[in-house]
């Protein structure tokens, strides 16, 4: 459906020529536009469950490293490649635009799934060890025995450090507010845009300013929702379940 709608309506990702309304209606807001990404998430959960219960065969260290490099490069590609159509407006063909809109989101989700599953496949190493040590409850996707004598070449070494960084407690408040911020951020964007006294003028500084303002106010509103709705509801649910 998404490919058909994008192809028939000649929608592209260059949004400064009046195509934004068509893109938002046909290729962004409809449920089936997001369904492939949802399937990637379900598949990642199934892999985690299967690997935990069925003893997923361990990958060789080199293969494990290559898979993670592929996931990170895939996400980098999804983020960077649209720059070409903004540098040279409308330089993409109809097929290129349709393919990017169709596969861009699930490809990004696939990259995240690879990194996420890889992070939980190795336990974070203690501060005095350079090689990750897996617990009995960890899913095992990599065999690092052959890398034990070369800790800095160990493919799980950088991954374990990434895992440790992403597991820092400073992310906990943001993690609890992120879904509400996701729900309210379109309202914030529309409100801030509707209260402008002049048209937007494109510049990189302006983009950074608006991005920072949109993020800040989205999380402020998300915090209000958490305090007034989410936390009281959670407390009431936990009390009823006792």
């Amino acid at each position: 459906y998404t490919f058909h709608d994008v192809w028939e309506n000649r929608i592209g990702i260059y949004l400064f020529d009046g195509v934004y309304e068509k893109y938002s209606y046909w290729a962004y807001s409809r449920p089936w536009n997001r369904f492939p990404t949802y399937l990637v998430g379900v598949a990642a959960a199934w892999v985690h469950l299967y690997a935990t219960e069925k003893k997923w065969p361990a990958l060789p260290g080199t293969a494990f490293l290559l898979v993670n490099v592929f996931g990170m490069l895939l996400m980098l590609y999804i983020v960077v490649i649209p720059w070409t159509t903004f540098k040279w407006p409308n330089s993409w063909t109809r097929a290129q635009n349709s393919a990017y809109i169709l596969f861009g989101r699930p490809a990004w989700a696939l990259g995240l799934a690879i990194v996420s599953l890889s992070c939980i496949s190795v336990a974070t190493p203690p501060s005095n060890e350079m090689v990750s040590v897996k617990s009995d409850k960890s899913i095992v996707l990599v065999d690092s025995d052959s890398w034990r004598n070369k800790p800095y070449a160990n493919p799980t070494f950088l991954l374990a450090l990434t895992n440790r960084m992403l597991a820092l407690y400073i992310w906990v408040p943001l993690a609890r507010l992120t879904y509400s911020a996701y729900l309210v951020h379109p309202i914030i964007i529309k409100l801030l845009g509707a209260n402008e006294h002049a048209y937007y003028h494109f510049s990189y500084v302006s983009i950074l300013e608006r991005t920072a303002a949109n993020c800040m106010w989205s999380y402020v509103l998300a915090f209000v929702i958490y305090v007034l709705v989410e936390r009281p509801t959670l407390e009431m649910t936990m009390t009823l379940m006792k």
Side-chain angles (χ1 to χ4, degrees):
Y1 288 112
T2 301
F3 185 87
H4 175 270
D5 291 340
V6 171
W7 183 271
E8 290 297 322
N9 291 282
R10 297 180 178 274
I11 298 173
I13 65 170
Y14 184 78
L15 303 180
F16 294 105
D17 57 358
V19 77
Y20 174 75
E21 290 185 2
K22 291 199 298 182
Y23 172 85
S24 180
Y25 180 77
W26 291 104
Y28 182 78
S29 60
R30 299 189 172 195
W32 53 82
N33 300 146
R34 303 162 187 270
F35 188 67
T37 308
Y38 172 79
L39 288 181
V40 173
V42 172
W46 177 85
V47 169
H48 176 255
L49 180 64
Y50 185 87
T52 303
E53 296 182 351
K54 303 295 184 180
K55 303 294 184 181
W56 193 279
L59 291 175
T62 302
F64 184 78
L65 178 61
L66 291 177
V67 168
N68 279 275
V69 169
F70 167 77
M72 294 177 184
L73 289 179
L74 182 62
M75 290 190 289
L76 182 64
Y77 178 82
I78 293 299
V79 171
V80 172
I81 195 61
W83 173 82
T84 58
T85 193
F86 288 95
K87 180 69 173 179
W88 300 282
N90 292 317
S91 59
W92 284 18
T93 65
R94 192 176 176 185
Q96 288 173 320
N97 279 300
S98 299
Y100 183 86
I101 293 174
L102 178 63
F103 296 112
R105 296 188 189 102
W108 174 264
L110 176 62
L112 286 178
I114 290 173
V115 175
S116 299
L117 288 173
S118 299
C119 280
I120 62 177
S121 71
V122 291
T124 304
S127 58
N128 61 342
E129 292 189 20
M130 305 307 294
V131 180
S132 67
V133 180
K134 293 182 277 297
S135 68
D136 293 337
K137 296 182 180 179
S138 307
I139 65 171
V140 180
L141 297 178
V142 59
D143 179 11
S144 60
D145 289 341
S146 61
W147 302 77
R148 184 72 57 175
N149 296 324
K150 299 181 296 182
Y152 287 100
N154 186 342
T156 65
F157 171 71
L158 292 178
L159 186 61
L161 293 182
T162 302
N163 187 21
R164 175 175 291 179
M165 181 187 70
L166 295 177
L168 292 175
Y169 287 110
I170 61 173
W171 303 117
V172 173
L174 293 179
R176 292 177 177 173
L177 299 178
T178 293
Y179 186 69
S180 292
Y182 160 75
L183 293 178
V184 303
H185 85 274
I187 302 173
I188 297 297
I189 293 173
K190 295 294 184 181
L191 283 175
L192 293 179
N195 285 280
E196 290 290 334
H197 298 290
Y199 290 111
Y200 287 163
H201 294 279
F202 176 79
S203 70
Y204 293 109
V205 173
S206 176
I207 289 176
L208 292 175
E209 290 175 347
R210 297 185 193 284
T211 300
N214 291 334
C215 289
M216 182 189 72
W217 288 113
S218 295
Y219 275 95
V220 168
L221 184 54
F223 176 75
V224 174
I225 294 173
Y226 178 80
V227 172
L228 298 181
V229 179
E230 288 189 46
R231 190 65 190 183
T233 303
L234 176 62
E235 294 290 343
M236 181 180 65
T237 303
M238 294 177 64
T239 301
L240 294 175
M241 291 178 64
K242 290 182 180 180

